[in-house]
Amino acid sequence: MTNDMKKAAGLLEKDKLTFAAVNGDDIITSTDRGVKPLLSLIDSGRTLSGYSAADRVVGNGAAYLYVLLGVKSVYTYVISRAALETFAKYGIDVSYDTLTDAIRNRSGDGFCPMESAVAGAESPEDALGHIRAKLKELMGK
């Protein structure tokens, strides 16, 4: 684990964050849940090229967003098999505590909607479209 990844992982625990990205002295953090911090960065035009990120839970939806953001590495407490495969496919180093078949939704009675939304995605850009459509659908409920 690189120094930047250790620092990002430490911030998750110390500051009760949901997301942290570190590149030397540059630190980006969030307490927003789900993929919101990643989408906010994408929408702002920000890239994370050269950054190491830490996130509490990474499903395949988040993995595709990390690919779009250009991170070099990710640490997470929990990761899905599909996310691990996506990181491997795009050459992103990953460290994790728990590997699971799929990420469950917050109520625990089904799968994460973002994980399900990107199940048929063929590229990170395609996945982004699926994520935005799912979020629009969920906001309509």
Side-chain angles (χ1 to χ4, degrees):
M1 196 181 288
T2 66
N3 286 338
D4 284 348
M5 188 184 284
K6 286 178 189 172
K7 189 172 187 178
L11 288 168
L12 279 190
E13 195 60 38
K14 177 179 146 286
D15 296 338
K16 304 297 182 213
L17 301 171
T18 56
F19 163 83
V22 176
N23 187 4
D25 292 331
D26 193 19
I27 299 170
I28 303 165
T29 63
S30 179
T31 56
D32 289 333
R33 294 175 73 174
V35 296
K36 188 174 182 183
L38 306 178
L39 286 173
S40 293
L41 289 166
I42 288 169
D43 290 344
S44 73
R46 181 89 191 244
T47 69
L48 295 180
S49 180
Y51 283 75
S52 292
D55 197 327
R56 292 190 175 272
V57 178
V58 176
N60 206 23
Y64 275 121
L65 297 179
Y66 278 117
V67 171
L68 287 172
L69 287 164
V71 297
K72 70 177 181 179
S73 60
V74 174
Y75 165 77
T76 184
Y77 298 148
V78 179
I79 190 168
S80 70
R81 289 189 191 287
L84 192 59
E85 290 170 9
T86 295
F87 284 139
K89 179 178 179 179
Y90 290 95
I92 296 173
D93 291 332
V94 63
S95 295
Y96 58 89
D97 295 333
T98 302
L99 177 63
T100 186
D101 287 332
I103 304 300
R104 305 290 293 175
N105 62 20
R106 290 185 186 133
S107 59
D109 60 359
F111 294 109
C112 168
M114 297 305 113
E115 182 108 344
S116 299
V118 301
E122 297 181 13
S123 69
E125 295 78 12
D126 186 33
L128 178 60
H130 288 289
I131 289 168
R132 291 196 190 282
K134 179 52 85 174
L135 287 172
K136 187 174 181 179
E137 176 188 319
L138 292 171
M139 296 304 262
K141 288 185 177 179

